[in-house]
Structure formats: C-alpha cells, structure tokens
Amino acid sequence: QSALTQPPSASGSPGQSVTISCTGTSSDVDSYNYVSWYQQHPGKAPKLMIYEVSKRPSGVPDRFSGSKSDNTASLTVSGLQAEDEADYYCSSYGGSNNLVFGGGTKLTVL
Amino acid sequence: QVQLVESGGGLVKPGGSLRLSCAASGFTFSNSYMSWIRQAPGKGLEWVSYISSSGTTVYYSDSVKGRFTISRDNAKNSLYLQMNSLRAEDTALYYCARERDYHMDVWGKGTTVTVSS
C-alpha cells in the first residue's frame, strides 16, 4: 500500500489561511470517508485534529477544517497562530484492513 | 485522565526480538480497539498493527506480517507487540494508540526501538 502524498512544506503568516493537500488513490481517499489529520509538534506524540474527513474532536479549534474531493483530501488552518507551527499528517483507510499515512507536511508560521 | 504509556523499547541486534507493552488507564480498555504506529527517525508515521477489543481480530502491515504479533490482556489493561526477526528498518519510535473507526484519538508518548549491531 503506497503512502498518501503530501507537500513537504507549507507556510503562512499569522492570521492567514493555509491549506495542506493529501492525495491518494481510488483505493483509499476516493473510496472511504475515513480521512484523518494529525498535528505533531517536535518531540511530541501526534494529536488528532480531524477525523472522518471533516469532523473535529472536542477541544480542537474550529480554525481547523477538513474536506475531500475525489482522491484528494485537504486540511485548512484559518487565522494562523504561532502554535499551529508543526508537522501535519493525513491518513486514510486503504481497504483490506490497511491504514495508510501521508509523508507529512511541515507547516511554518512566518 | 485518559493515558497510554509504552515501555519495553531498547537496543537489539538484527535478528533479535523485543516485546513492547502499553499500559492503558482512564478509559474502558476492554471496549477499545487498539493499534501500534511507528515513526522512523526523521520520517513519517506508519501503521503497524491493529487488534479488536476482544483480541480475536488482528491485522498487520505487509512490512511486519509474519514477524510481529499483537496481543492484549484486558484484565491488565495492557497491549503488547512481540517483535521477532528484527531488521534495521524496524528502528523507530513505537506508539500505541486507541483506534476508533480508522482514526487514533488517544496516543502514548512512544518507546524507542533501535536495531543495530
């Protein structure tokens, strides 16, 4: 199962919006609404930010939103804040009892 | 509070074995699906294995199938990963996580496995 494709980096200034893409295939992202996004600060464990494409767990700011179109999922961070600077990973159910992750995107707040 | 604490990592030679443990607290472990996810140094996340709440259903990634065994002891609120025939490419930080419908909502801090001669 191939990993999902994410851009290695993204950036934005405080207050701006930034969108991170996650491209899969017809076997994963396009076939299932089980796309998740995780935030990971250096030296810390990942934190769930979005699940089932666009749902936010309790406690996650509504500045974070998710969407999907065909085989590409997206995470949008609005009103960028300094603490949003982190690595972001997408994941999707890939069928055949398999879960696939993206390679990660380093988000820099300028 | 909801917590997962991994242990058992260390330095092992290629071909060796290691058993990781994950102690759960603050939630009903016996009702929870669980997974192991790993992260090689400077790399991304990789799903390793899944186990159902009862332990009767298990799944593995192709990269560890036949070498790793996931198990759990609900009486002890504990998850395990038996790793055999270890390779250099298994070197990683191993996280245990609670899984719900293909997403991980609770993560431990991880335990480091280094495979090197």
Side-chain angles (χ1 to χ4, degrees), chain B residues 52-82:
Chain B
S52 63
S53 56
S54 64
T56 54
T57 300
V58 297
Y59 301 124
Y60 301 95
S61 67
D62 288 343
S63 60
V64 307
K65 200 173 297 181
R67 301 187 298 123
F68 290 11
T69 302
I70 191 172
S71 63
R72 63 191 299 160
D73 186 336
N74 286 343
K76 294 183 177 179
N77 288 342
S78 292
L79 175 71
Y80 307 102
L81 187 67
Q82 177 67 43

Side-chain angles (χ1 to χ4, degrees), chain A residues 33-82:
Chain A
N33 288 324
Y34 289 122
V35 175
S36 307
W37 290 91
Y38 302 90
Q39 176 192 67
Q40 187 179 36
H41 287 109
K44 300 294 187 182
K47 175 187 175 184
L48 179 67
M49 304 301 285
I50 297 288
Y51 66 100
E52 292 177 11
V53 177
S54 60
K55 297 178 181 178
R56 265 180 291 106
S58 174
V60 172
D62 60 7
R63 303 185 294 104
F64 291 85
S65 62
S67 62
K68 187 186 82 162
S69 178
D70 298 327
N71 66 340
T72 299
S74 299
L75 172 72
T76 297
V77 186
S78 305
L80 267 176
Q81 299 182 4

Side-chain angles (χ1 to χ4, degrees), chain B residues 16-21 36 48-49 60 64 66-71 79-86:
Chain B
S17 298
L18 212 53
R19 189 195 196 206
L20 306 184
S21 299
W36 287 98
V48 172
S49 183
Y60 301 95
V64 307
R67 301 187 298 123
F68 290 11
T69 302
I70 191 172
S71 63
L79 175 71
Y80 307 102
L81 187 67
Q82 177 67 43
M83 304 186 296
N84 298 331
S85 303
L86 282 162

